[in-house]
C-alpha cells in the first residue's frame, strides 16, 4: 500500500473537467456535511480522467478515475479563482489508488472511466461495479498555446475530522470546447442526486489531452463551524495524525 502521507504526481492525463447546476439543489446541499457550506448556486463539479501509462505517475501506475462533488462557499483555493469542493463520489479502477485515497478520507469505490475521441467528439463514460452511471458528450477542437493552471482545494472526512488539501494543476485545454450533454443513467443509484438541471447549465469546464496535477503530502484539519453537529470532535492526535499539517 502506498503511504497516504506521501505526495504523488500525475502528468499528461486525458481530462474532462466541468461543473453544472443541479436538478435538485436541496438534495445536493444535503450531501455537504456540517462545518462546510455549499455554494449559493449548489454547483456540482466532475472530473473524468484517464492515465494511459504507468510512466505518467510517480507511483499510482496507469488508471482511470472520476470524482464528483459540491462547490463550497468561503473556502476557496489559493488565489481565490476556484472554490473549495467537497468530494461526494470517487470512482477508480485502481486498487492502489483506492487505498491511497481512502486513507486520506476520499469516498473511494470500484469503477472505471473511459474517454473516447472520434471526429471532434469526446464521449466520457463512468461505470461503478460494471454498471454505466454517467455519460458526457462534448465537441472538442485542438490544443493551442493556451495554458490553464492554478490550484484546487478539496475536502474529505476521516476519524470525525474534516480534512482539506490543495492540489496544483497545469493543463493544455482544447479550443473550441462545447458540452453537448450530461446523462445520469441510473436513477436508483445515489449518484443520481447530482444530475444536472434541464436545460443543462454549465458553470465552467475544459477538456485537455495533457493535464498534470499533484496530490499533496499533507492534509489540513479544517475547524468545523461552532454549531456543526454532523462531524464529531475527536482527540487532537489520532492514528491518522501523520497525514496532517498545521492549519
Amino acid at each position: 500500500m502506498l503511504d497516504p502521507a506521501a505526495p504523488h504526481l500525475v502528468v499528461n492525463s486525458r481530462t474532462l473537467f466541468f461543473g453544472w447546476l443541479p436538478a435538485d439543489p436541496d438534495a445536493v446541499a444535503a450531501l455537504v456535511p456540517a462545518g462546510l457550506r455549499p455554494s449559493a448556486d449548489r454547483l456540482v463539479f466532475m472530473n473524468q480522467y484517464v492515465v494511459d501509462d504507468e510512466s505518467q505517475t510517480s507511483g499510482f501506475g496507469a488508471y482511470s478515475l472520476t470524482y464528483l462533488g459540491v462547490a463550497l462557499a468561503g473556502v476557496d483555493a489559493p488565489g481565490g479563482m476556484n472554490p473549495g469542493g467537497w468530494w461526494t463520489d470517487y470512482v477508480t479502477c485502481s486498487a492502489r489508488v483506492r487505498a491511497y485515497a481512502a486513507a486520506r478520507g476520499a469516498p473511494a469505490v470500484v469503477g472505471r472511466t473511459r474517454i473516447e475521441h472520434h471526429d471532434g467528439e469526446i464521449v466520457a463514460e463512468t461505470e461503478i461495479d460494471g454498471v454505466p452511471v454517467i455519460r458526457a458528450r462534448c465537441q472538442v477542437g485542438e490544443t493551442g498555446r493556451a495554458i490553464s493552471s492554478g490550484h484546487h482545494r478539496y475536502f474529505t472526512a476521516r476519524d470525525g475530522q474534516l480534512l482539506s488539501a490543495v492540489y496544483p494543476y497545469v493543463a493544455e485545454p482544447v479550443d473550441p470546447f462545447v458540452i453537448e450533454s450530461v446523462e445520469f443513467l441510473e436513477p436508483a443509484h445515489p449518484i443520481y442526486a447530482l444530475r444536472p438541471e434541464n436545460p443543462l447549465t454549465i458553470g465552467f469546464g475544459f477538456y485537455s489531452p495533457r493535464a498534470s496535477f499533484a496530490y499533496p503530502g499533507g492534509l489540513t484539519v479544517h475547524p468545523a463551524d461552532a454549531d456543526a453537529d454532523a462531524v464529531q470532535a475527536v482527540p487532537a492526535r489520532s492514528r491518522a495524525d501523520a497525514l496532517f499539517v498545521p492549519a
Side-chain angles (χ1 to χ4, degrees):
M1 176 179 170
L2 296 175
D3 180 357
H8 277 280
L9 180 66
V10 175
V11 298
N12 296 334
S13 63
R14 295 185 287 125
T15 297
L16 177 60
F17 183 47
F18 63 103
W20 61 81
L21 297 185
D24 190 341
D26 291 339
V28 166
L31 297 173
V32 177
L36 297 172
R37 291 182 292 118
S39 63
D41 57 7
R42 288 6 184 199
L43 184 75
V44 174
F45 60 85
M46 178 173 69
N47 191 349
Q48 295 170 292
Y49 70 86
V50 176
V51 180
D52 293 296
D53 191 85
E54 64 180 8
S55 65
Q56 296 170 238
T57 79
S58 59
F60 285 163
Y63 70 102
S64 67
L65 195 149
T66 294
Y67 61 73
L68 296 92
V70 183
L72 301 173
V75 287
D76 292 349
M81 296 298 293
N82 296 313
W86 166 253
W87 275 339
T88 61
D89 298 89
Y90 191 99
V91 182
T92 179
C93 62
S94 169
R96 184 183 305 176
V97 174
R98 282 197 305 275
Y100 175 86
R104 299 166 65 88
V109 299
V110 179
R112 186 174 298 275
T113 299
R114 296 179 177 86
I115 300 178
E116 298 182 355
H117 187 182
H118 298 293
D119 298 326
E121 183 180 68
I122 288 288
V123 178
E125 186 172 279
T126 300
E127 63 180 43
I128 297 176
D129 291 329
V131 178
V133 294
I134 303 171
R135 184 184 300 124
R137 297 181 184 271
C138 312
Q139 296 178 9
V140 298
E142 302 295 329
T143 57
R145 296 184 178 180
I147 298 293
S148 177
S149 63
H151 297 83
H152 293 292
R153 185 183 187 193
Y154 294 125
F155 286 77
T156 60
R158 177 173 171 172
D159 296 336
Q161 292 176 310
L162 291 173
L163 312 176
S164 78
V166 174
Y167 301 75
Y169 69 90
V170 178
E172 300 175 53
V174 301
D175 185 45
F177 170 71
V178 178
I179 298 173
E180 296 180 325
S181 64
V182 184
E183 301 172 87
F184 277 63
L185 306 171
E186 283 293 322
H189 196 283
I191 207 169
Y192 192 75
L194 297 165
R195 68 194 184 279
E197 67 178 5
N198 187 12
L200 180 64
T201 302
I202 299 297
F204 69 91
F206 68 82
Y207 173 72
S208 173
R210 292 183 293 276
S212 304
F213 59 92
Y215 274 73
L219 298 174
T220 299
V221 177
H222 181 70
D225 292 343
D227 59 351
D229 56 7
V231 177
Q232 300 297 320
V234 299
R237 297 191 62 83
S238 72
R239 59 188 176 88
D241 188 65
L243 294 177
F244 305 154
V245 295

